[in-house]
Amino acid sequence: MDPFVAEPFVALMRRYCIDYTARHDLSVCDDIMAPGYTLHMGVHDLAGRDEAYKPAAAAQFRQFPGLCLTVNEIICSGDRLALRFTEHGASARHGGARAAWGGVGLYHWDGQRLLENHVEQDYLARRRQLVGGGPDPVEPSAVAPWDTRAAPADPAAEEAVRAWLAAGDLAGVTVDDGRPTGRLIAAGRTTINVLFSAGPRVAFHAVQCGPLTGEDPRFVGDGEAMLHLAGVVRVAGGQVTGGRVIRDRLGLLRRLAPLVPLDPLAPRAPGNPGKARS
């Protein structure tokens, strides 16, 4: 491919990040998303571009009128693309309090428009910042995200990540906001919703199920717990050697303490409480 001609999927995501998200222009969604576009986040499935996704996005933009998105990393296999990002801004609901929180989204397209996104965002870190913790630094931008090229799959790297996820401890990577919390769930079973590779980098969206470890005193309870997570990791020598994983800690906390008031920060979609856009 001509080095000065953009990778098609990457070019579409450039429109997603700049024309749509940075400008808060919902009209761009009609061009870049299929009518059935579906967002999968935590236990929620936000199905339908116009009837479900756009209202949720509009609520997010109202809460964060100056919302920004910084692209930290992109990997692309041709038909799938993973975006590691930081969203940041000032919340109109919290007197202008500011926050920056990480996320990982795995996108699928039909060659022209986006079909779905499996994503997790660190809303627990966002809540910590907005209720008085102060904003975290915005992670550095990728140097040349829009020059990313599709890379062939590496089946060996994919198998290494499957085994690593099955072990359950997420060793060797940065998890959530990088603050030590220990394991939340003991190794039980892991269901992988999406996993693909682009050379030695592997992206995934998965669900861990098992008993709570009690290593973080905020997450206590009996029985089996469920935790959604998404990540982009690097593999070398058959081992995961680095990367970033975002877990739906806030969703887990809500399920463990259903009588605790819902986080007022997360925008709601009609008929889908607690659901946020990406």
Side-chain angles (χ1 to χ4, degrees):
M1 176 181 289
D2 186 327
F4 297 104
V5 176
E7 183 75 35
F9 201 166
V10 175
L12 181 72
M13 289 306 296
R14 185 177 186 177
R15 292 199 64 198
Y16 176 97
C17 294
I18 297 176
D19 297 344
Y20 159 49
T21 304
R23 296 178 61 232
H24 299 192
D25 186 351
L26 291 170
S27 69
V28 178
C29 294
D30 297 350
D31 293 334
I32 65 174
M33 299 174 183
Y37 178 75
T38 301
L39 175 76
H40 309 277
M41 180 188 290
V43 299
H44 304 287
D45 298 301
L46 202 59
R49 179 192 67 203
D50 298 331
E51 59 270 36
Y53 179 82
K54 283 185 180 180
Q60 177 88 318
F61 295 145
R62 285 193 298 271
Q63 181 181 347
F64 291 90
L67 183 72
C68 300
L69 183 147
T70 295
V71 177
N72 306 122
E73 183 179 9
I74 289 179
I75 71 169
C76 182
S77 67
D79 66 335
R80 291 195 177 272
L81 181 147
L83 177 72
R84 184 168 65 83
F85 59 90
T86 303
E87 286 195 328
H88 44 103
S91 172
R93 297 181 186 173
H94 298 83
R98 300 178 179 188
W101 62 98
V104 174
L106 279 67
Y107 296 83
H108 183 45
W109 75 329
D110 61 6
Q112 292 185 319
R113 293 191 288 183
L114 297 172
L115 298 175
E116 62 179 347
N117 177 20
H118 288 78
V119 62
E120 299 300 336
Q121 295 192 42
D122 192 359
Y123 287 129
L124 191 62
R126 183 176 78 171
R127 181 168 71 172
R128 166 180 55 77
Q129 297 166 62
L130 291 181
V131 298
D136 290 348
V138 176
E139 294 186 43
S141 170
V143 174
W146 313 126
D147 296 313
T148 300
R149 298 299 181 199
D154 184 338
E158 294 178 10
E159 286 307 309
V161 173
R162 291 180 186 277
W164 177 79
L165 285 169
D169 58 5
L170 305 180
V173 305
T174 300
V175 180
D176 303 323
D177 54 7
R179 299 186 175 208
T181 61
R183 294 179 307 152
L184 300 183
I185 294 179
R189 69 180 188 279
T190 299
T191 300
I192 297 174
N193 297 318
V194 182
L195 185 148
F196 73 91
S197 60
R201 291 186 291 174
V202 181
F204 63 85
H205 185 274
V207 185
Q208 291 181 330
C209 296
L212 292 165
T213 64
E215 294 178 15
D216 186 325
R218 296 173 296 177
F219 298 87
V220 294
D222 299 322
E224 186 174 78
M226 176 175 61
L227 181 64
H228 294 76
L229 62 160
V232 178
V233 300
R234 298 183 300 277
V235 176
Q239 302 292 323
V240 173
T241 59
R244 183 70 178 275
V245 173
I246 300 293
R247 303 175 297 179
D248 180 26
R249 296 180 295 164
L250 185 58
L252 173 60
L253 192 62
R254 287 174 175 169
R255 291 190 292 275
L256 295 172
L259 298 182
V260 173
L262 287 177
D263 177 15
L265 314 179
R268 277 67 167 169
N272 209 349
K275 189 61 189 174
R277 64 150 293 278
S278 181

